[in-house]
Amino acid sequence: MSARAVSTRLLWTHLKPTGKKHRKHDKILWLIGAGKIFYGLILLAVGIGAFNLIGKNLSAELWHLIQGWNVDLHNRYIQMLFRKVSTVDGQKLYFLTFVTFAYASVFFVEGIGIILDKYWAKWLVVVVTGSFIPGELYHLVRQFGWFDFVLVFINAASVAYLIWRIKTHEHPHKFTITKSR
């Protein structure tokens, strides 16, 4: 080995990463990650259902579904659903299926990254979830619902907790210099 290679190798031996040693896993992080994975599973199921509808007559499929559930066909919500379904064509369904699968994959990446306590995953959740909060608040102000309120509150609390956690606990690239022997 050349003298330069040895000196370069020795130069870095006194730098040791400071990080998580044997820290207890944060239960709130685990809960946030589990919630993200749960959302991902829901979107995956919706995406598979939408994928199975590609190439089929959506109105006929909805008709069979409603008959199986014995729902009143004159219900205004059912009529509204039939009007919405009649505007969806194959191209829109392909696009919706693709977006649903893509968004599910983002939820899976966020959830697994948070459970594994990865620094980048915390920032990903802060950016992605935080970017939707203003739109959710606007929708909540225009049409209040307790379920929507709880979801917005959980998302805002998750983002606030992750920002606090990053600011107080995380130092991703901090190194300490130790004496070499």
Side-chain angles (χ1 to χ4, degrees), residues 28-157:
I28 295 175
L29 285 180
W30 190 90
L31 190 61
I32 293 170
K36 294 292 182 179
I37 291 173
F38 179 71
Y39 288 153
L41 289 172
I42 290 172
L43 285 175
L44 183 64
V46 168
I48 290 170
F51 184 76
N52 288 332
L53 290 174
I54 293 175
K56 295 181 179 178
N57 183 348
L58 296 180
S59 295
E61 293 295 323
L62 181 61
W63 176 264
H64 291 297
L65 184 67
I66 289 173
Q67 282 183 334
W69 284 353
N70 293 324
V71 177
D72 181 21
L73 291 174
H74 300 294
N75 183 320
R76 68 180 182 146
Y77 296 112
I78 299 299
Q79 294 299 319
M80 181 181 66
L81 189 58
F82 270 111
R83 283 193 296 277
K84 295 275 187 189
V85 164
S86 68
T87 63
V88 177
D89 60 354
Q91 191 174 11
K92 283 183 185 177
L93 199 55
Y94 275 117
F95 178 74
L96 289 173
T97 303
F98 174 76
V99 168
T100 303
F101 283 136
Y103 202 41
S105 66
V106 169
F107 273 123
F108 286 133
V109 168
E110 287 177 340
I112 292 168
I114 288 289
I115 286 175
L116 295 176
D117 201 13
K118 298 297 182 182
Y119 180 76
W120 56 264
K122 294 171 190 159
W123 275 112
L124 182 64
V125 172
V126 166
V127 170
V128 172
T129 305
S131 67
F132 287 106
I133 291 175
E136 292 172 351
L137 285 174
Y138 177 75
H139 173 72
L140 191 61
V141 168
R142 291 193 66 206
Q143 184 178 359
F144 183 81
W146 282 106
F147 183 73
D148 294 333
F149 175 77
V150 169
L151 288 179
V152 171
F153 179 78
I154 289 171
N155 285 338

Side-chain angles (χ1 to χ4, degrees), residues 151-169:
L151 288 179
V152 171
F153 179 78
I154 289 171
N155 285 338
S158 298
V159 168
Y161 177 77
L162 288 172
I163 290 172
W164 172 80
R165 174 89 184 179
I166 290 168
K167 293 284 188 185
T168 59
H169 290 80

